[in-house]
Amino acid sequence: VKLEVGMTCGGCSGAVERILSKMEGVSKVDANIEEKTVIVTAEGVTAEEMVEKLSKWSAASGKFVRVP
């Protein structure tokens, strides 16, 4: 699953990776700050559920999270 996330630093990417890694079914999270993308390897989890899980972080940080 590919997500677009407005990450601007290592703190952002670390938070995104930490949040998504805690989701049941997620086996790998690869955040790319320069491309502002996150590639998630998961079973039984939808992109929409991942965006919902990141919504609190998104609101607090002012960064966007969306499905491309």
Side-chain angles (χ1 to χ4, degrees), residues 1-3 20 28-32 37-41 50:
V1 175
K2 183 176 181 177
L3 302 175
L20 292 176
K28 183 178 177 188
V29 181
D30 184 26
N32 184 316
T37 59
V38 177
I39 305 297
V40 183
T41 305
M50 293 178 201

Side-chain angles (χ1 to χ4, degrees), residues 53-68:
K53 193 72 169 177
L54 290 171
S55 65
K56 187 175 180 180
W57 170 84
S58 175
S61 66
K63 312 290 187 205
F64 65 84
V65 178
R66 60 183 173 239
V67 179

Side-chain angles (χ1 to χ4, degrees), residues 19-40:
I19 292 164
L20 292 176
S21 293
K22 290 180 181 178
M23 293 183 74
E24 189 172 328
V26 172
S27 57
K28 183 178 177 188
V29 181
D30 184 26
N32 184 316
I33 298 169
E34 290 179 4
E35 293 182 11
K36 297 193 183 319
T37 59
V38 177
I39 305 297
V40 183

Side-chain angles (χ1 to χ4, degrees), residues 42-56:
E43 283 189 36
V45 184
T46 67
E48 290 74 21
E49 289 171 321
M50 293 178 201
V51 169
E52 176 64 29
K53 193 72 169 177
L54 290 171
S55 65
K56 187 175 180 180

